[in-house]
Amino acid sequence: MLETGSARGSREWLSRKFPDHAQWPRIQRLLRLSGVVCVLHGAIWGAFYGAHGMDVLAIVLFSLILVGLGCLGIARKRDRIPLVLIAHVLLVMTIFVSLAETPTAAAARSTHLFLLPIGVASFFLFRSERVYLRWLFPGMCIAALVVLAISPVSLGPQLELLTDDVRRLRHGLNTLTAMVLTCSVLAIFREDLSEQMDQYAALVRGLAQRELRAFLQPQVGLDGRVLGAEMLLRWDRPGHGLQSPDKFIPLAEETGLIHDIGLMVLERACVHLKNWSTLPGVDAWMLSVNVSPLQLASDSFVDDVRATLRRVGAPPNRLRLEITESALATDLSVLAAKMGALRQDGISWSLDDFGTGFSSFSLLQALPLDELKIDQTFVRGMGDDPSQRELVRKIIEIAEILGIATVAEGVETEQQREWLAGMGCRVFQGYLFGRPVSAEAFHQAHVPQGQ
């Protein structure tokens, strides 16, 4: 869970979830199509090359059958790393077989045409990834395609001994197959792009028509008294019901709408804080608000927060901004400076879902954090695994050493609350104390009557 900063980058790459649920059905169709093509192509040409004494090419083409079976296997479960690996294997194999071809007057090189569907497919598959997979890898495919198309370079005729008739046949089959694959990739993901555009338009409308609703979930102390709440966003989308953030926040981040949504949520939080500040008994409540890494990275973030607080007139010392460990991938000095500037205004900071990433001790010490939120996966696992309870205990101890408070998320049973209290945790959040509800329902349930 806790690692050195040098290991965090590689571990973060391995731990990323891929792909998202909405995209996966289309990826399954692509994998199945690719798997069938690889198996058939590898079996037919592998057998031909083997029968005519071209053993090296036969081995490569028979290996393509294994790649095809791998595609079919991955299509049955969501697994990111094998998908990335297969993409690279296909790139290397295609380049090798292309170099084995010797362009002649009878037929030009054709295997390199498969780099086009590989590049196009990888562009769609990895568009949520970072620079290498999102841009450089598809770029390498297209660059290799261009170089192999214009260059006569070859590994030598000793690898491939074909008659002109067979060369022409192969050229025609490869060209047809590559074009069909490319068109199939575009057709598969055209639906995806169309859905994204429709959802984007709906999200823009929803933001304008206030369909995005703020829900509140209570945070309580050892005595069961409410100490504050976390604000959670829901989209009351017509015809779809209430949608959780994981259904629309990724699109908001991709399209830049996250900045408008973030400011809207912050303003609503400040309105609640201002109202609470006038009510005896609840004027000390804290309100936690999640901040997107993209929102936090904005140059205007600090000014936006300050401007919203001034405009609404909310007490800044009752506002707590929550960041996730993904935000720590940015420039830490810049991040710490922004957090420090707002902390001087009285705003506090919380690290959400702690334990699911790969934070280091140095990171926890470098950032002006006031709170760690123990992820609910650890809390839920305490009953089945004693080592989980010990792990949670260590998290609480580490936070205490650093002078950081802890909040346990996902507390659903009294046994969990007792374990956590015995470990030193003083604030709890979960279904045991209340589900996320509308602001009106939260006020009615927790604000003393007559106020």
Side-chain angles (χ1 to χ4, degrees):
M1 179 197 65
L2 297 173
E3 297 195 3
T4 61
S6 60
R8 183 170 58 89
S10 60
R11 291 293 190 180
E12 181 183 347
W13 185 89
L14 291 172
S15 67
R16 295 186 65 190
K17 295 180 179 179
F18 176 87
D20 59 66
H21 289 285
Q23 188 183 6
W24 181 238
R26 283 174 282 276
I27 294 179
Q28 283 183 306
R29 293 199 292 270
L30 176 62
L31 285 171
R32 289 165 184 156
L33 174 63
S34 302
V36 171
V37 171
C38 287
V39 170
L40 292 177
H41 194 82
I44 293 172
W45 284 105
F48 180 86
Y49 287 137
H52 291 78
M54 291 171 276
D55 297 336
V56 174
L57 289 178
I59 293 174
V60 173
L61 268 296
F62 281 135
S63 299
L64 187 61
I65 298 176
L66 299 178
V67 174
L69 294 175
C71 290
L72 295 174
I74 296 174
R76 302 178 63 180
K77 61 178 181 178
R78 297 175 64 211
D79 203 337
R80 174 181 181 274
I81 296 177
L83 190 56
V84 174
L85 179 61
I86 281 181
H88 286 78
V89 170
L90 285 174
L91 173 62
V92 173
M93 291 179 67
T94 304
I95 292 176
F96 177 81
V97 177
S98 298
L99 290 174
E101 291 186 56
T102 302
T104 65
R109 178 183 281 130
S110 60
T111 302
H112 69 293
L113 296 174
F114 288 104
L115 292 169
L116 181 59
I118 294 174
V120 173
S122 62
F123 175 78
F124 286 110
L125 288 174
F126 304 133
R127 65 178 183 271
S128 298
E129 295 282 342
R130 296 191 177 178
V131 175
Y132 173 70
L133 287 175
R134 184 179 184 181
W135 299 110
L136 293 185
F137 182 79
M140 288 191 309
C141 294
I142 302 304
L145 171 67
V146 173
V147 171
L148 290 168
I150 64 177
S151 174
V153 63
S154 172
L155 294 177
Q158 64 274 15
L159 289 178
E160 183 185 77
L161 304 172
L162 298 177
T163 64
D164 287 344
D165 289 340
V166 175
R167 290 178 189 274
R168 283 191 289 266
L169 175 62
R170 182 184 61 187
H171 184 277
L173 290 175
N174 284 350
T175 302
L176 178 61
T177 305
M179 294 304 103
V180 169
L181 279 174
T182 302
C183 292
S184 298
V185 171
L186 294 174
I188 288 172
F189 285 98
R190 178 180 177 275
E191 178 187 351
D192 181 33
L193 296 175
S194 177
E195 285 184 6
Q196 278 203 320
M197 291 301 297
D198 291 342
Q199 188 176 18
Y200 172 74
L203 187 55
V204 171
R205 184 203 66 239
L207 184 59
Q209 298 183 1
R210 301 180 68 85
E211 294 172 2
L212 300 179
R213 301 175 57 192
F215 278 48
L216 300 178
Q217 185 174 30
Q219 295 177 341
V220 305
L222 282 172
D223 57 0
R225 184 169 54 91
V226 174
L227 303 177
E230 179 183 0
M231 179 172 282
L232 303 167
L233 198 61
R234 299 290 186 267
W235 183 9
D236 190 6
R237 186 178 179 184
H240 295 77
L242 285 176
Q243 293 189 339
S244 59
D246 63 295
K247 299 293 185 181
F248 60 90
I249 289 299
L251 177 63
E253 291 179 332
E254 289 180 11
T255 58
L257 283 176
I258 190 64
H259 298 288
D260 293 329
I261 292 175
L263 288 175
M264 178 206 69
V265 172
L266 179 63
E267 183 171 358
R268 293 187 187 180
C270 289
V271 170
H272 288 307
L273 286 173
K274 182 181 179 181
N275 293 336
W276 291 350
S277 68
T278 64
L279 302 176
V282 302
D283 55 338
W285 279 0
M286 300 289 297
L287 186 55
S288 299
V289 178
N290 289 280
V291 177
S292 164
L294 293 180
Q295 186 184 0
L296 185 60
S298 171
D299 293 336
S300 64
F301 175 74
V302 174
D303 293 335
D304 289 339
V305 174
R306 287 172 170 169
T308 302
L309 284 164
R310 285 195 301 267
R311 183 173 65 255
V312 177
N317 63 328
R318 298 303 173 193
L319 177 64
R320 177 165 291 146
L321 300 180
E322 293 188 5
I323 60 174
T324 59
E325 293 187 344
S326 59
L328 307 183
T330 60
D331 189 327
L332 283 180
S333 61
V334 174
L335 175 61
K338 291 180 179 180
M339 294 174 65
L342 291 177
R343 200 182 192 211
Q344 289 179 353
D345 296 342
I347 296 172
S348 56
W349 290 90
S350 175
L351 183 58
D352 196 12
D353 297 334
F354 183 74
T356 60
F358 300 92
S359 295
S360 66
F361 291 111
S362 59
L363 286 175
L364 297 181
Q365 291 176 309
L367 298 177
L369 291 169
D370 301 278
E371 177 185 273
L372 294 182
K373 299 192 76 174
I374 303 171
D375 187 67
Q376 58 185 343
T377 56
F378 291 95
V379 175
R380 290 173 180 170
M382 290 194 302
D384 300 325
D385 187 355
S387 65
Q388 287 281 77
R389 293 198 294 273
E390 187 61 27
L391 182 58
V392 172
R393 186 190 306 277
K394 293 300 181 183
I395 292 176
I396 295 173
E397 290 178 356
I398 292 170
E400 185 177 354
I401 292 172
L402 297 175
I404 302 173
T406 51
V407 175
E409 292 185 297
V411 181
E412 298 181 351
T413 67
E414 183 61 32
Q415 178 65 77
Q416 291 172 344
R417 190 202 69 81
E418 291 179 1
W419 277 331
L420 290 163
M423 297 172 187
C425 184
R426 296 293 178 264
V427 184
F428 314 93
Q429 179 179 340
Y431 289 171
L432 179 63
F433 311 99
R435 293 175 179 268
V437 294
S438 65
E440 295 79 9
F442 181 87
H443 190 277
Q444 184 177 3
H446 300 292
V447 174
Q449 297 298 317
Q451 296 185 10

